[in-house]
Amino acid sequence: MAKIAMVAGEASGDLLGYHLIQELKSLQPEVEIFGIAGPKMMSLGAKSLFPIERLSVRGYLEVLRHLWGLLKLRKQLYKHILKEKPDVFIGIDAPDFNFWLERKLKAKGIATIHYVSPSIWAWRQKRIHKIKRAVSHMLALFPFEPALYQQVGVPVTYIGHPLADALPMEPDVGLAREKLKLKKNQVVIAMLPGSRQSEVAFHADLLLETAIVFDRLMRENGQSVQFLVPLVTRETRDIFTSAWHQLLTQKPDTAIDLQIMFGHAHDAMTAADAVLVASGTATLEAALLKKPMVITYKMSNMSWQLLKRMRLQPYVGLPNILAGEFIVPELLQKEATPERVAQTLYNLLADKTGLASLQEKYRHIHAQLKQNSAQKAAAVVKQFLHV
């Protein structure tokens, strides 16, 4: 029986692993999968030796607090994998955890596949030489990534992005608005401050104050606005709600239509006329949903100065990186003031010709990324199985 060791580090990796296992089982019904898996992968029979939550640690302080436990877990996992002698090891994202495992396993003669290239095209490009020592084959989600690996002799396959497979080319805005019970005559703006607690803490005030300015601009032109803020966890929702209550205390006359949501980010973006979004994967989802957007990001000044020195591209947003040009505006750090962000968002919606051009660029990106990624990934993995 074919045997695969697989490690997913968080919910997004669990979803990638789930679709990969589905495809693998259609090609190779008798396959044993073990490692670290989330509930979706486990529902297909993957055996998880440790809870996936042990790896889902974010932020430097959190990582430091859990470092000893993570190192111990990784060593135990490594020994178990060596003992089981799988045909192949698949690390799904989680590069800091998985590349160490991959390097050690590859040195012991076990083939290693890494699913989701880290963003070497954005910063720390020298990491590619360490990746070469760790990886037998890289699965790349973006079309510009293979060339980087081919230059240093790392076998790589472009498989496209699973989001492009999952999302329709033409989203059903009416259905999403009906589902969320939105008023028909309002402009709808989805605001996504990020998935991490630190991101929400940095962006909450900016987004709320931007909403106030944008609401005023729209009312001056006889239009009302509803703001939707989908948040993934209870912790991020508490941070945003606290910032909102504090703002209302400081500005009791504030009267904007704001709905803080628990989840439903996909519905909120689909229903929106435009999206105000912190840089990250949500920018790609907004592009695939064909939404005009303003990308923003704030962090500590020290982190910003370090990141600025390491950046390799003028863009931070995935839509711009994929297009190779600024197709959507980016307002970062000091440039991200409520007045500037609100005016940029207003100008974006007012430019009907620009919006039509943007839609075409989004469709091109979607078509490029829609590759049936799980099927392509499974085909690569099958080559490593001993049957």
Side-chain angles (χ1 to χ4, degrees):
M1 182 188 288
K3 192 184 289 187
I4 300 172
M6 202 178 287
V7 171
E10 54 185 307
S12 59
D14 184 36
L15 185 60
L16 288 174
Y18 172 80
H19 290 302
L20 175 57
I21 293 169
Q22 274 188 323
E23 290 293 338
L24 280 170
K25 291 207 164 190
S26 72
L27 296 173
Q28 187 80 33
E30 295 297 315
V31 60
E32 180 188 338
I33 295 163
F34 69 94
I36 297 181
K40 288 185 178 297
M41 291 166 65
M42 289 165 69
S43 73
L44 295 177
K47 181 184 176 185
S48 194
L49 304 172
F50 302 94
I52 194 172
E53 289 77 18
R54 295 278 300 276
L55 268 61
S56 302
V57 181
R58 286 180 166 179
Y60 293 119
L61 290 177
E62 282 294 298
V63 170
L64 285 172
R65 198 176 299 133
H66 293 88
L67 185 59
W68 176 248
L70 283 169
L71 293 176
K72 186 179 176 184
L73 181 156
R74 191 167 64 178
K75 191 170 280 189
Q76 288 175 315
L77 182 61
Y78 168 66
K79 287 180 179 175
H80 188 93
I81 293 169
L82 279 185
K83 184 181 171 186
E84 290 292 325
K85 294 186 175 64
D87 299 317
V88 64
F89 172 85
I90 304 171
I92 305 175
D93 211 355
D96 293 329
F97 187 90
N98 278 326
F99 281 141
W100 181 91
L101 268 178
E102 288 162 13
R103 180 170 55 81
K104 300 279 281 184
L105 292 170
K106 188 182 177 189
K108 293 289 186 181
I110 295 173
T112 58
I113 295 174
H114 194 80
Y115 190 177
V116 183
S117 166
S119 49
I120 53 170
W121 34 267
W123 63 297
R124 285 174 59 199
Q125 198 165 22
K126 288 180 181 176
R127 286 179 296 171
I128 199 164
H129 299 291
K130 289 183 179 178
I131 293 169
K132 182 178 181 178
R133 291 197 292 274
V135 173
S136 304
H137 203 104
M138 177 65 73
L139 298 177
L141 304 192
F142 298 120
F144 51 79
E145 291 175 323
L148 297 170
Y149 289 100
Q150 287 161 355
Q151 284 170 14
V152 294
V154 177
V156 59
T157 301
Y158 169 55
I159 62 169
H161 203 287
L163 263 180
D165 295 324
L167 297 176
M169 192 62 78
E170 300 300 332
D172 194 332
V173 178
L175 184 64
R177 292 194 174 196
E178 192 178 306
K179 186 176 178 181
L180 297 177
K181 297 180 171 61
L182 302 178
K183 296 173 187 174
K184 289 183 178 178
N185 59 343
Q186 281 187 313
V187 172
V188 178
I189 304 295
M191 301 197 299
L192 289 92
S195 58
R196 301 178 186 183
Q197 293 178 47
S198 58
E199 289 175 325
V200 178
F202 268 109
H203 297 135
D205 287 340
L206 169 66
L207 266 58
L208 288 165
E209 289 176 20
T210 296
I212 293 169
V213 178
F214 183 80
D215 187 72
R216 189 185 68 238
L217 289 170
M218 296 301 284
R219 285 184 187 280
E220 286 170 0
N221 285 276
Q223 290 183 290
S224 64
V225 189
Q226 178 159 22
F227 298 94
L228 305 176
V229 188
L231 294 158
V232 180
T233 64
R234 194 171 302 281
E235 291 79 10
T236 53
R237 191 172 60 164
D238 287 347
I239 292 167
F240 199 91
T241 302
S242 175
W244 177 225
H245 289 157
Q246 194 172 339
L247 185 64
L248 289 176
T249 304
Q250 295 166 354
K251 300 178 180 179
D253 295 334
T254 299
I256 61 172
D257 188 348
L258 180 80
Q259 184 180 345
I260 297 173
M261 306 162 68
F262 198 21
H264 299 287
H266 175 82
D267 292 328
M269 280 196 274
T270 303
D273 292 288
V275 177
L276 174 55
V277 57
S279 181
T281 306
T283 63
L284 178 61
E285 187 170 358
L288 295 172
L289 289 169
K290 318 301 182 296
K291 298 299 169 181
M293 76 185 87
V294 176
I295 296 172
T296 189
Y297 208 84
K298 278 181 173 285
M299 60 181 71
S300 70
N301 191 52
M302 185 181 290
S303 297
W304 174 252
Q305 293 304 326
L306 285 169
L307 192 65
K308 223 167 52 165
R309 288 188 181 95
M310 292 188 288
R311 261 171 67 186
L312 299 172
Q313 298 203 37
Y315 336 99
V316 301
L318 282 168
N320 292 331
I321 291 166
L322 286 161
E325 59 175 316
F326 280 104
I327 61 171
V328 296
E330 296 180 0
L331 294 170
L332 313 173
Q333 207 63 0
K334 288 181 180 178
E335 289 184 350
T337 64
E339 292 74 19
R340 187 175 287 182
V341 176
Q343 189 65 57
T344 303
L345 193 59
Y346 179 84
N347 294 346
L348 201 62
L349 284 173
D351 182 8
K352 302 303 178 189
T353 306
L355 290 176
S357 170
L358 183 63
Q359 293 290 312
E360 283 307 307
K361 288 172 180 174
Y362 282 158
R363 288 188 188 95
H364 177 72
I365 289 171
H366 198 149
Q368 199 175 30
L369 295 179
K370 189 178 175 68
Q371 299 285 326
N372 203 336
S373 60
Q375 193 178 77
K376 286 193 171 182
V380 172
V381 175
K382 191 174 188 299
Q383 294 171 28
F384 289 86
L385 301 183
H386 304 129
V387 292

